[in-house]
Amino acid sequence: MRFTTSWGSHTPLDVVLVEPQLVAEIDVDTAQDRGAWRHPVRFVRLREDMAPGDVAAFGAGPVPASG
């Protein structure tokens, strides 16, 4: 997975891993093009009912269906 500054950009962003302290719900479209998200990720809300340990690590959760 690669992260870029904007759609169509070839400039990769540096990834900095941090220790999670909060859980956020986000809205994403699973459409990808050459390994990049086709649409922006949108913040929905903080999940105060969940702890970081309740959530699978990035890349360790269920894999979305392709299509």
Side-chain angles (χ1 to χ4, degrees):
M1 181 68 55
R2 68 181 167 88
F3 298 94
T4 58
T5 56
S6 63
W7 177 250
S9 172
H10 296 289
T11 305
L13 290 174
D14 293 330
V15 175
V16 178
L17 300 179
V18 297
E19 189 67 35
Q21 296 179 355
L22 301 170
V23 175
E25 183 176 340
I26 57 173
D27 183 31
V28 297
D29 182 336
T30 59
Q32 293 186 7
D33 185 16
R34 297 182 309 270
W37 298 112
R38 291 187 62 187
H39 302 105
V41 175
R42 291 183 175 84
F43 172 79
V44 176
R45 65 184 172 133
L46 286 178
R47 293 293 308 261
E48 295 180 16
D49 59 325
M50 298 179 73
D54 298 336
V55 182
F58 181 76
V63 176
S66 62

